[in-house]
Amino acid sequence: MNKKLVAALSGGAVVLMALSGCSGDDSDQKVNAWAKKVCDQVQPQLTKIANSNTSIQQATSDSSKPADVQKADSAAFQSISDAYKALGSAVDSAGAPPITDGEKTQKEAVKELNATATAYAGLKTKVDALDTRDQADFADGLKGVADELDKLSKSGDQALQKLQSGDVGKAMAKQAGCQKPPVAAGGSGSPAAGS
């Protein structure tokens, strides 16, 4: 059951890791300048998300005490929520990308990032409310959180995909700040935490 939570968390990070998935060659100075504005603020947030996923993976083992799992999950969900909120602010403060429908694309991406931040804050609240005194009840509650997390990781990220497509995506892929962050040690054995 705990493995399901780890797998769901790994899927949730895929959306952000897509930032580094684009490649190409584009010399449009305006697009590159916009991408740099966003990507300079992205790297710390990607690192925060990756480290939070790793901390959950480390705390979520069959021998973990419910209180320890609850504490680790709660802190990680708060950190991930804060990271998505900061990503929304980064895209918002960068202004509209210099593309067709740039303002609409930007607003939709910010809305999506903020909604994801709110969803992770909701998961933190749910984890905090679980009763850790009964391991079976806690496991059942955690399964519910994992199910919601799985839905969250599969939910629509169309606005982000649109933001990261075309010339903007190519420009973002060239920025160091939009590259995959190094994952903290100890995250091995989990399914594709950043691939």
Side-chain angles (χ1 to χ4, degrees):
M1 190 281 308
N2 289 340
K3 289 178 180 69
K4 184 173 182 179
L5 178 65
V6 172
L9 277 168
S10 298
V14 170
V15 172
L16 269 294
M17 296 307 166
L19 284 171
S20 60
C22 307
S23 63
D25 186 25
D26 178 68
S27 59
D28 184 343
Q29 293 302 316
K30 288 180 183 176
V31 173
N32 287 334
W34 184 89
K36 181 166 176 32
K37 267 193 227 175
V38 173
C39 292
D40 284 351
Q41 298 177 62
V42 164
Q43 188 65 43
Q45 307 316 318
L46 292 179
T47 300
K48 189 185 286 189
I49 290 167
N51 289 342
S52 295
N53 286 333
T54 299
S55 73
I56 287 175
Q57 292 167 14
Q58 290 171 339
T60 308
S61 72
D62 292 334
S63 62
S64 298
K65 293 179 182 161
D68 294 339
V69 173
Q70 181 184 47
K71 184 178 177 184
D73 289 0
S74 178
F77 288 148
Q78 183 62 58
S79 180
I80 293 170
S81 175
D82 292 345
Y84 274 100
K85 196 175 289 184
L87 288 166
S89 294
V91 173
D92 190 39
S93 68
I99 58 171
T100 305
D101 290 335
E103 189 173 335
K104 180 181 177 200
T105 301
Q106 174 207 19
K107 285 182 178 176
E108 287 174 356
V110 169
K111 182 179 174 185
E112 215 168 73
L113 289 163
N114 288 335
T116 302
T118 300
Y120 275 103
L123 289 175
K124 177 196 183 306
T125 301
K126 285 187 172 103
V127 165
D128 289 344
L130 295 177
D131 183 0
T132 59
R133 293 171 292 186
D134 182 316
Q135 188 145 3
D137 285 348
F138 179 74
D140 286 345
L142 203 57
K143 181 184 181 309
V145 169
D147 289 344
E148 283 191 43
L149 187 58
D150 190 46
K151 286 180 199 163
L152 177 62
S153 71
K154 292 175 182 169
S155 69
D157 59 348
Q158 293 87 7
L160 283 175
Q161 288 175 358
K162 185 173 181 185
L163 181 70
Q164 298 166 31
S165 66
D167 290 343
V168 171
K170 291 173 187 173
M172 291 173 85
K174 288 192 261 180
Q175 299 298 322
C178 281
Q179 301 303 312
K180 286 184 185 180
V183 178
S188 63
S190 67
S195 45

